[in-house]
Amino acid sequence: MAIPHRLVEVRMSAQHVMVLTGAGVSAESGLPTFRDPLTGLWERFNPQELATPDAFRDDPSLVWGWYEWRRMKALRALPNPAHEAIRSLQEKVRRLTLVTQNVDDLHERAGSSPVHHLHGTLAHPYCSRCGAPYSFPPEIPEEPEEGRRVAPPPCAECAAHVRPGVVWFGESLPEREWDIAERAAQDCDVFLCVGTSSVVYPAASLIEHAAANGAVTIQVNPNSTSWDDRVSHDFRGPAGVVLPALVAGCSLR
Ligand code: BV8
Ligand code: ZN
């Protein structure tokens, strides 16, 4: 795809590159983003309303079914060139901190490590009452059809509902991951923001910290966000196309 506008050389001589990804980095792997209209039977639900403790309390099977559907899609998805490019960037720069809002494991499967998940992951559910961790059975179950309720498994310790290991709206972020992200945003000299609408806080405040600390800020997104006119470099295009070109370190003019 011809990238529609002049791109600039990204300083790969940076001391510390921070990368923040959102659902858009997994879009080319076939995973639905959070704010694109939900497809199929899920379209009558607003993810914002499903990703809350109240929704799970009121209808645990609906919410568990949604996460199981997403987990099955993530298990069947493959990392795309954007994930690969971020991994290879890590090998090119002195220091890279990768922070994601995503709950899939595509960065890990592309070979990135460590990956700091601000909003938890699909892989580590736990008991909604006693917190006991729950392990999924090894075999990959049938993909539940969209919109189907699936009863959450009972906790082996206390029989309460097991819940997804993600951070819902109104819940705090994992302290250690947030602390790492905040420090990196204060310290980095390049902040690369990929595939996020930058509307969910506190994750969306990270680019503000980076800009305030004088970092070169770069956005990669096929659509507009509120950061278009505020970032140092705004690349309008899919991450799977733009990132490999950027990371190749070439001057894209
Ligand atoms: C907190 C769960 C405080 C897992 C998610 C009232 C009470 C409490 C808090 C609040 C409140 N009101 C507001 C808040 C703050 C709230 C918030 O920010 N709300 C927003 C909506 C205004 N935040 C919270 O509640 C956070 N907690 O503040 O706690 C607190 C403090 C102390 C004590 C108690 C509480 C918790 C936030 C986490 C919420 N959980 N997910 C899951 O189900 O996934 S957030 C959800 O949005 C997703 O996880 C997602 O990661 C995140 C951000 O979305 P994006 O990743 O940006 O995805 P989106 O679809 O929006 O955009 C995709 C982008 O990709 C688009 O721009 C698109 O153009 C682009 N794209 C598409 N294709 C491509 C592409 N880009 C590149 N290439 C492509 N090919
Ligand atoms: Zn329990």
Side-chain angles (χ1 to χ4, degrees):
M1 156 190 174
I3 298 180
H5 55 62
R6 193 175 69 81
L7 296 179
V8 292
E9 191 162 69
V10 175
R11 285 186 306 127
M12 287 306 155
S13 58
Q15 297 303 313
H16 181 188
V17 176
M18 176 169 179
V19 182
L20 173 69
T21 62
V25 80
S26 300
E28 289 154 275
S29 297
L31 298 188
T33 66
F34 212 75
R35 282 169 187 80
D36 288 343
L38 277 183
T39 54
L41 290 171
W42 290 117
E43 64 193 12
R44 63 182 183 281
F45 296 103
N46 172 355
Q48 204 107 321
E49 283 148 22
L50 285 177
T52 66
D54 292 354
F56 185 73
R57 186 201 55 229
D58 297 348
D59 193 339
S61 298
L62 178 75
V63 175
W64 184 261
W66 181 49
Y67 280 95
E68 277 301 273
W69 176 71
R70 290 174 62 194
R71 187 170 74 89
M72 291 308 109
K73 286 189 81 68
L75 285 174
R76 289 174 169 82
L78 292 173
N80 69 60
H83 298 103
E84 310 290 350
I86 291 168
R87 196 237 29 262
S88 70
L89 180 61
Q90 187 164 23
E91 294 152 7
K92 289 188 156 206
V93 296
R94 283 181 188 75
R95 182 180 166 209
L96 184 141
T97 302
L98 174 55
V99 175
T100 188
Q101 300 170 88
N102 299 340
V103 294
D104 64 56
D105 64 348
L106 293 179
H107 281 304
E108 288 87 343
R109 285 163 54 197
S112 286
S113 175
V115 180
H116 300 291
H117 288 268
L118 294 182
H119 297 160
T121 72
L122 292 167
H124 302 297
Y126 59 90
C127 174
S128 58
R129 181 189 297 152
C130 72
Y134 172 80
S135 304
F136 285 111
E139 63 285 345
I140 299 185
E142 273 307 300
E143 183 164 340
E145 81 259 10
E146 293 185 0
R148 187 162 69 86
R149 281 178 166 73
V150 177
C155 165
E157 310 290 322
C158 74
H161 291 314
V162 169
R163 58 158 282 173
V166 301
V167 178
W168 279 327
F169 288 101
E171 294 186 325
S172 304
L173 275 57
E175 247 177 74
R176 177 179 175 279
E177 302 301 68
W178 176 244
D179 188 47
I180 289 167
E182 256 196 325
R183 288 169 192 275
Q186 313 281 5
D187 176 71
C188 66
D189 43 5
V190 174
F191 185 97
L192 180 57
C193 187
V194 184
T196 180
S197 55
S198 295
V199 298
V200 173
Y201 283 82
S205 67
L206 292 168
I207 189 169
E208 292 160 8
H209 296 325
N213 103 36
V216 170
T217 50
I218 300 166
Q219 176 177 252
V220 177
N221 196 317
N223 301 310
S224 269
T225 76
S226 64
W227 276 90
D228 291 2
D229 305 328
R230 294 188 274 172
V231 288
S232 319
H233 303 292
D234 185 29
F235 300 132
R236 182 71 64 257
V241 173
V242 174
L243 277 186
L246 271 185
V247 172
C250 55
S251 304
L252 302 152
R253 296 188 192 291

